[in-house]
Amino acid sequence: MKRIAATLALTLIASLAHAFPWYSSGNNIRGAQLMTEQERQAYVAKLQTMKTLPECQAYWDGHNKDIDARASQQHVTLPPVQGNPCEVMVKMGKIR
């Protein structure tokens, strides 16, 4: 019985890890092409430290504002904001 419970727990954890893989890879961040690899890694690392939705939302909004300014300076058109990693993290139970 314990083996079945452990297997189910591992399956659940693995499915959550793959439920939203793009935000943890750093490759599909809006404006990633304007960021260095280190900036992408720092963005993902910081995003994963968030504990509450308001904290995460403020960080994500700040990122979007900063990346929009960078895009404007470099005369790059970014796609509109789509999806919200903070809302997904709430659904995954990572933040409240």
Side-chain angles (χ1 to χ4, degrees):
M1 189 64 146
K2 287 183 181 181
R3 182 176 279 163
I4 292 172
T7 302
L8 289 174
L10 286 174
T11 303
L12 177 62
I13 290 168
S15 68
L16 286 176
H18 296 290
F20 199 49
W22 69 261
Y23 92 86
S24 61
S25 73
N27 295 325
N28 290 320
I29 298 168
R30 182 173 174 269
Q33 71 273 28
L34 303 174
M35 301 167 73
T36 66
E37 180 64 28
Q38 292 79 18
E39 287 174 318
R40 289 191 297 273
Q41 289 174 358
Y43 168 80
V44 170
K46 179 73 174 172
L47 193 63
Q48 291 176 338
T49 67
M50 299 296 142
K51 302 288 185 219
T52 66
L53 181 58
E55 175 188 26
C56 184
Q57 192 66 48
Y59 177 70
W60 187 62
D61 289 343
H63 163 76
N64 285 324
K65 185 180 277 187
D66 292 346
I67 210 67
D68 284 339
R70 190 179 294 188
S72 178
Q73 290 171 348
Q74 296 182 21
H75 306 287
V76 173
T77 302
L78 293 175
V81 174
Q82 295 180 327
N84 183 331
C86 302
E87 291 175 3
V88 173
M89 288 170 60
V90 167
K91 290 178 184 175
M92 292 175 65
K94 290 185 175 267
I95 59 175
R96 51 183 158 71

